[in-house]
Amino acid sequence: MPATLYFVIGPAGSGKSTVSTLIAERSHAAYLDKDSVATFFTEALLELAGTDKHERDNNEYYQRSVMDLEYETLLRLAGDNLRLGNSVVLDAPFVRYFPRPDFLEQASARHRWPADVEIVVVHVTVEGSRVRDRVEGRGYDRDAWKLAHWDEFWATAQAAECRWRGAHHILFDNSADGMTARNLEVALAEFS
């Protein structure tokens, strides 16, 4: 049976991490969270560049020089696991790459993903006020800009449309009932 690569995408506070960990548990997949993979290195790079280690959204150095490195590292680790036959769950926003229809094909070629890997993109959505409450509640320093410029952040998050081809796309609304393993099972049932 071929491995599956899950991209769990959505704005900050949407519940990506909860959805990602449930998928990883359900499918016995490797769980790769961009923050866990890259935060220590990212913070060190930002400090060495003389910028605030917690500022990413409004940090030109991060956007220009660091962010792509984080994602390339994550995609490379996914390839390492996929070549071993392990399914992988990627927990990261990926918003910058949404406009590129060939993003998955390019990443597959660069990181040598097996040709038979099944790719599933899980779009986690949630109502805006609930997202803001979650972002405030988690208390991360890196969210300061988002909260101070909420309308700008939320408008950008809502406008982003993932145009990737070569994947099954699943919409998972995490607004109404909250996250349950049963809700996720129903959403993923056709790809089991």
Side-chain angles (χ1 to χ4, degrees), residues 162-182:
C162 183
R163 299 181 181 193
W164 300 343
R165 63 179 176 241
H168 301 288
H169 290 263
I170 299 172
L171 180 64
F172 186 83
D173 185 352
N174 195 22
S175 294
D177 300 71
M179 173 55 54
T180 67
R182 178 69 187 132

Side-chain angles (χ1 to χ4, degrees), residues 81-155:
N81 278 278
L82 292 168
R83 284 189 302 281
L84 293 171
N86 300 322
S87 290
V88 177
V89 178
L90 298 178
D91 178 358
F94 284 96
V95 175
R96 172 184 285 186
Y97 311 102
F98 285 3
R100 302 182 193 170
D102 65 346
F103 175 74
L104 297 174
E105 296 151 353
Q106 294 293 321
S108 178
R110 275 192 320 277
H111 301 291
R112 300 180 298 119
W113 299 345
D116 63 348
V117 68
E118 182 173 21
I119 301 175
V120 177
V121 180
V122 180
H123 303 254
V124 181
T125 64
V126 70
E127 188 270 321
S129 63
R130 187 171 289 193
V131 170
R132 185 180 175 105
D133 291 345
R134 289 177 183 174
V135 170
E136 285 176 343
R138 67 189 192 179
Y140 295 161
D141 290 332
R142 68 175 182 256
D143 290 334
W145 186 90
K146 290 179 188 73
L147 292 168
H149 302 89
W150 186 258
D151 291 340
E152 180 182 346
F153 164 74
W154 189 241

Side-chain angles (χ1 to χ4, degrees), residues 16 25 66 75 92 114 122 134 147 149 158 169 173 188 192:
K16 283 188 309 295
E25 288 173 358
V66 179
L75 295 168
V122 180
R134 289 177 183 174
L147 292 168
H149 302 89
Q158 292 301 98
H169 290 263
D173 185 352
L188 295 174
S192 296

Side-chain angles (χ1 to χ4, degrees), residues 24-36:
E25 288 173 358
R26 170 190 177 272
S27 60
H28 304 288
Y31 170 69
L32 298 176
D33 172 24
K34 181 179 77 71
D35 292 333
S36 296

Side-chain angles (χ1 to χ4, degrees), residues 9-27:
I9 60 174
S14 62
K16 283 188 309 295
S17 294
T18 303
V19 172
S20 296
T21 55
L22 284 171
I23 293 171
E25 288 173 358
R26 170 190 177 272
S27 60

